[in-house]
Amino acid sequence: KLVNDVRFFRRVSLDLVGRQPTLDEYRAFVKDSSPNRRVQNVDRMLASEDFGRNWGNYWSDLIAMRTPEPQLTFLNYEPFREWLAQQFNKGAGWDESVFRMVTAVGKVGDGAEGTFVGFHQGASNRIAGELTRVFLGVRIACAECHDHPFVDMPQETFHGMAAFFTRVKVDVAQNNSDNIRITSAEKGEHKMPGAKEEMKPTIYRGDSIELGLSDLKRREQLAYWVVNGDNPFFARAFVNHIQARLMGRGFFDPVDDLGEEAEPLLAEAHDALAAHFVASDFDARSVFRTIVNSRAYQAAERATPVVTTESSDSSKDAPQRAAFTGARPKKLRGDEVFDSLVTAVSLPSTRATIAKKTEAVRFPIPPKSTRDLVNEVFGYDPAFRDALINRTMDQAMFLINNDQILKQVDARTDRETVLAKLLKDEPDNQVVADVLYARVLTRQPTVRERAIVLKHVEGLNDRERAFEDVLWSLLNSAEFTTRH
């Protein structure tokens, strides 16, 4: 059974462009009687600049959440997010984007693709571990100090990858991460801890290259292998991330662990989707279009957990199929919460001016924008399993008490808020209730909900205050911060 049209519309909007539909988009969708309106709206969203922005934020978060900040420098990911958004929106292949990240040189402020290497401060071990985890879906960090305790991965596996970055040189600029500069050392080779022999740069589960190559030459050789269509990990890692975000569960779980001992679900489907990605020249839109137009994605979500034991279905694949019957509910990321607040109540993103340097404070902390504050409370590592992504008291208190949100809920006639304008222009309380539900939750209230709202408005005998209560309660609902 497919999910109804309106719920599908909210689901796909949150997944593709990172927010619920606007009121105008919702009304246009409801009015549209075309049998192809789902496909047409998918294409419209994929062509929107919000698509690249949303997924640029996703990959930036995946990298940033495990990148430590150097002392006296505050890492600014905004240029990197904008660069990723531009790459997605102009249709650049994922292979091109990753190649540029791995081989970047120069000042980060002049080329945001240098963020990955530059923000890791050129630390060869850290870059090697994060490159394989983020872009290949393989965790090798456990083999940094000793042979991997659980799988066949000797210490040489890790340090062979680290050797590709041993001549990377990064000058960390104080206070301004735009001034971080990536250059190259003229000499130097990598050694395992306690070893005398120099390590040859060696690709994961593959061949070595000779010693003595320049920094850029060895990084280019690694990058060519990473993004090659024959690489068994690169395409599969990307589509696994997208599958996990859209369906609530990847072919591999955790999403960044495709190692030999991991057990995939629907391995043939995973391989087919990865092959499609390669055949499309690593066009991200082709993967999204394939998944969101599928019956599995558009099915009503499951109310039962993933089947892990023998099913009554005689097919041995029944438990695996059950895992992908309908997109499971997913907690919104920080950027998605912020952009949904913008869509619902026109929440502005403000930022105070940075304080001036003084003798007492040589490195003033950059002020945070409203988006930063929402991300700080609602953000999480996209690689985390759902069980590790909890709703917190800080999140509840933020939506309840944040000054800027409360200002946007103000219904007084002298205010310029969405609610104040709506009450001024619309005398019918039922219409107001319907509009608020559409703006915040992309649906109409049920008969019972509408009756409760109207009873509250009539009983309070203060129309402005009553609808402030209604809007506030909708923004504080679990439904608002969840993709169903």
Side-chain angles (χ1 to χ4, degrees):
K1 180 182 177 180
L2 298 185
V3 69
N4 70 55
D5 286 338
V6 171
R7 291 196 68 179
F8 163 80
F9 189 47
R10 180 177 188 267
R11 175 188 296 179
V12 76
S13 181
L14 286 167
D15 281 339
L16 295 186
V17 298
R19 56 167 175 77
Q20 81 273 29
T22 66
L23 183 62
D24 288 342
E25 289 169 344
Y26 167 77
R27 286 171 169 169
F29 183 80
V30 171
K31 185 178 179 181
D32 185 1
S33 59
S34 167
N36 297 320
R37 64 177 176 170
R38 292 194 182 197
V39 172
Q40 291 168 351
N41 275 278
V42 166
D43 289 341
R44 177 184 60 79
M45 292 175 195
L46 288 174
S48 164
E49 290 188 358
D50 286 343
F51 165 72
R53 178 193 48 74
N54 180 42
W55 283 93
N57 290 343
Y58 174 92
W59 287 96
S60 178
D61 283 350
L62 189 69
I63 291 169
M65 289 293 182
R66 304 192 192 185
T67 304
E69 279 200 339
Q71 290 185 338
L72 306 180
T73 297
F74 305 100
L75 299 180
N76 176 19
Y77 282 90
E78 280 308 304
F80 185 52
R81 288 167 171 249
E82 292 174 7
W83 178 77
L84 284 169
Q86 291 169 3
Q87 290 291 102
F88 280 120
N89 283 332
K90 74 179 185 180
W94 184 236
D95 57 334
E96 175 194 322
S97 298
V98 173
F99 187 92
R100 290 177 62 179
M101 285 186 245
V102 176
T103 61
V105 294
K107 202 162 70 168
V108 171
D110 295 333
E113 62 267 30
T115 297
F116 178 70
V117 172
F119 282 15
H120 278 298
Q121 305 166 59
S124 57
N125 285 6
R126 198 158 62 230
I127 297 172
E130 282 298 275
L131 179 144
T132 52
R133 182 186 72 86
V134 173
F135 302 124
L136 303 179
V138 178
R139 299 178 179 182
I140 65 171
C142 282
E144 179 178 356
C145 302
H146 47 71
D147 294 347
H148 198 295
F150 305 120
V151 300
D152 181 19
M153 185 184 295
Q155 198 175 355
E156 288 81 0
T157 301
F158 177 90
H159 289 280
M161 288 291 287
F164 282 101
F165 300 97
T166 197
R167 293 192 182 185
V168 173
K169 182 181 177 183
V170 173
D171 296 318
V172 179
Q174 292 181 341
N175 209 34
N176 187 350
S177 59
D178 285 352
N179 291 327
I180 290 176
R181 184 181 295 274
I182 306 166
T183 57
S184 301
E186 293 184 3
K187 59 183 181 179
E189 299 295 348
H190 187 79
K191 294 180 182 180
M192 285 202 319
K196 295 182 179 179
E197 292 186 0
E198 296 173 334
M199 287 288 302
K200 286 186 175 181
T202 306
I203 62 175
Y204 177 74
R205 302 301 192 200
D207 298 329
S208 300
I209 64 173
E210 63 208 70
L211 293 170
L213 287 181
S214 69
D215 165 50
L216 197 54
K217 285 287 186 184
R218 64 182 70 194
R219 279 198 279 152
E220 284 178 346
Q221 290 206 26
L222 174 64
Y224 279 123
W225 172 77
V226 167
V227 305
N228 193 292
D230 293 330
N231 183 333
F233 301 102
F234 181 64
R236 293 168 74 243
F238 182 87
V239 301
N240 191 53
H241 273 279
I242 308 311
Q243 175 79 6
R245 187 65 200 172
L246 298 183
M247 296 297 296
R249 206 282 189 196
F251 300 106
F252 284 82
D253 185 44
V255 72
D256 57 355
D257 187 5
L258 280 64
E260 289 88 338
E261 298 299 312
E263 290 291 334
L265 294 181
L266 299 181
E268 290 184 4
H270 186 196
D271 290 342
L273 189 59
H276 169 76
F277 186 41
V278 174
S280 73
D281 292 329
F282 300 101
D283 175 21
R285 286 187 177 89
S286 69
V287 176
F288 287 94
R289 187 175 285 110
T290 298
I291 296 176
V292 301
N293 284 328
S294 69
R295 291 187 63 85
Y297 176 85
Q298 297 186 25
E301 64 262 29
R302 294 175 297 110
T304 55
V306 176
V307 179
T308 56
T309 57
E310 290 297 322
S311 169
S312 58
D313 188 328
S314 59
S315 169
K316 65 180 181 180
D317 294 329
Q320 298 199 18
R321 288 200 306 272
F324 295 129
T325 306
R328 289 193 284 176
K330 194 80 174 179
K331 185 173 176 289
L332 300 186
R333 293 181 297 105
D335 283 298
E336 294 168 335
V337 173
F338 176 80
D339 288 326
S340 292
L341 286 166
V342 173
T343 304
V345 293
S346 298
L347 181 70
S349 185
T350 62
R351 187 196 300 268
T353 56
I354 189 167
K356 294 181 178 180
K357 292 182 181 180
T358 65
E359 290 186 7
V361 181
R362 293 179 56 201
F363 300 97
I365 298 174
K368 295 177 180 177
S369 67
T370 311
R371 180 184 288 273
D372 294 334
L373 294 174
V374 174
N375 257 323
E376 195 172 74
V377 176
F378 289 92
Y380 57 85
D381 188 334
F384 278 178
R385 282 175 158 153
D386 283 355
L388 298 176
I389 305 171
N390 299 316
R391 298 188 185 276
T392 68
M393 183 60 70
D394 285 345
Q395 293 168 359
M397 297 307 293
F398 187 91
L399 289 176
I400 290 172
N401 292 324
N402 178 262
D403 287 341
Q404 283 190 271
I405 293 178
L406 292 178
K407 288 179 181 178
Q408 297 309 113
V409 178
D410 193 333
R412 286 176 288 179
T413 54
D414 60 341
R415 299 298 189 263
E416 292 295 317
T417 64
V418 167
L419 181 56
K421 293 176 182 177
L422 177 60
L423 292 179
K424 182 179 178 180
D425 296 339
E426 180 53 65
D428 189 325
N429 289 339
Q430 180 172 310
V431 173
V432 172
D434 291 353
V435 169
L436 292 181
Y437 269 80
R439 290 190 70 100
V440 179
L441 304 180
T442 320
R443 65 176 177 85
Q444 292 297 285
T446 64
V447 172
R448 181 172 179 272
E449 288 170 335
R450 187 179 286 121
I452 291 172
V453 169
L454 296 179
K455 182 179 179 180
H456 178 69
V457 174
E458 294 168 4
L460 197 57
N461 200 30
D462 184 334
R463 189 171 186 247
E464 293 173 357
R465 183 180 163 198
F467 274 112
E468 287 177 351
D469 293 342
V470 173
L471 178 55
W472 180 87
S473 64
L474 293 177
L475 294 174
N476 279 275
S477 66
E479 184 176 351
F480 175 63
T481 55
T482 306
R483 190 274 276 130
H484 293 278

